[in-house]
Amino acid sequence: MERDVAWKKYDDAALDACEALAADYITFISENKTERECATAAIAAAEAAGYEPLADCMAAGTPVGPGSKLWACAQGKAIILAHVGSEPLSLGLNILGAHIDSPRLDIKQNPLYEANDFALLDTHYYGGIKNYQWTALPLALHGVVATTDGEIIDVNVGDDPADPVFCVTDLLPHLGAQQMEKTGAKVVEGEDLDILVGNRPLVIAEGEADTDKKKAAEKDPVKQMVLSVLSGKYGIAEEDFLSAELEVVPAGRARDLGFDRSMVIGYGQDDRVCAYTSLRAQLALGDDVPARTAVCVLVDKEEIGSVGATGMGSLFFENTIAEIMELAGEGGTLPLRRALSRSRMLSSDVSAGFDPAYASVFEAKNSAFLGRGLVFNKYTGARGKSGSNDASAEYVAQVRRIMDDADVSFQTAELGRVDAGGGGTIAYIPAKYGMDVIDSGVPVLSMHSPWEVTSKADIYEARRGYEAFLRDPS
């Protein structure tokens, strides 16, 4: 049952649409490298499409009904869009669920120090990374600093061509004999992923009256120079790191890859390629009123277990649907439970793309190939399907029918060979309500590396497939 390459079916109009979508996608992932930035961009796009804040409707007691378009946000890091359909919500929803967090380095709360005339920021890696991949490449700093007077300061340094960048240093091969004898997991230790941020000392002018400043500059002159820059540019003091969320991400824009420009290379495509296509599919409904209420859920913290107030494991999703049902005149615990159990969901997350350089960890008949379309994983998990949501045969058949009716190119896959490893998504969490859930997404090469690779054809087919799913009335 080998699937054909999606590119072969495209006429000129489809090729133009595919390229336009990819160009917009490249801009999206280049400008939005954190969960906060993705949520802000999604809200802006939703409001431009006529979505209203659910919080405002709740405060005013505004009733909602068929055609109502609403958005809700949790702590600036997770977002839900709902387009109310013509059928009662208690009959079920069509849901797309993706995550907008990605592996990265997080700045610790007490991070800044000086060592041997260098200033560095101490980090704690987030999600599953290969530490050595984060050395010797340009890095940017994105995030927020919250001060005790209530101010929220946005930080974004390294992605503007005029900005400086940062890096984690690596050892020259001439002195790296012992390092190269270590296993890949130990070549670079997690505590050694500190980013280099300065080398110039602060020079105190003659006659400076501030003796504390003079003493600090004498002890750690390079660190004090960095603090001076932060104070002048952002009004940030060292104590403000305690209430900061600063993320270290690869610097630079995503780019076309290949002589034929058929692929995209960029940071954070796990899982922003699915988050972006889910968002675009949701907004593509326009002013049409779907039969079943269409919902797009973009959550945080998937890379560390979907925990916390902004992860799929929180009550954010359930509470939001409950509030919408209340405004729609369908409030109550039992109608909510019925709505969730009768819903169906595409857990929109990426899959491992077959890589001929590492063919030994894949089983080719059940692998995802770049360019062959949207991927469905009936189950994920590790080894004996541990931690997996295993979609029912009936639901897989229903999804197949939706994709076939819309002429969407799709393929099915497992996450590598049975005993090679494995992974999970958010799918098992909404499945606890009794709803049908299946993993679906875009195949990726070099997943969890600073620069990941996807096919433009798969991005295009994902966007088409997600819209077809949202529109399906059955």
Side-chain angles (χ1 to χ4, degrees), residues 100-132:
I100 49 178
D101 62 314
S102 292
R104 59 180 189 259
L105 306 179
D106 282 344
I107 299 298
K108 291 185 178 181
Q109 286 187 284
N110 186 19
L112 183 60
Y113 69 98
E114 180 172 333
N116 305 104
D117 300 329
F118 292 115
L120 300 105
L121 288 174
D122 205 354
T123 71
H124 191 136
Y125 62 85
Y126 173 98
I129 67 169
K130 293 180 178 177
N131 295 351
Y132 64 82

Side-chain angles (χ1 to χ4, degrees), residues 26 34 58 84 126 140 184 209 218 228 254 257-258 267 289 341 449 471:
I26 285 173
T34 70
M58 291 163 53
V84 180
Y126 173 98
E218 289 171 359
S228 177
L257 178 67
Y267 166 69
V289 179
S341 68
S449 71
R471 289 186 180 275

Side-chain angles (χ1 to χ4, degrees), residues 251-300:
R253 287 182 60 82
R255 302 281 296 274
D256 285 349
L257 178 67
F259 284 118
D260 55 5
R261 296 181 176 268
S262 61
M263 294 166 286
V264 174
I265 184 169
Y267 166 69
Q269 298 199 72
D270 176 11
D271 181 38
R272 292 176 189 138
V273 65
C274 296
Y276 169 82
T277 47
S278 295
L279 173 65
R280 286 292 301 268
Q282 178 82 16
L283 301 183
L285 298 179
D287 292 327
D288 296 344
V289 179
R292 291 164 62 92
T293 294
V295 177
C296 177
V297 183
L298 306 179
V299 291
D300 182 24

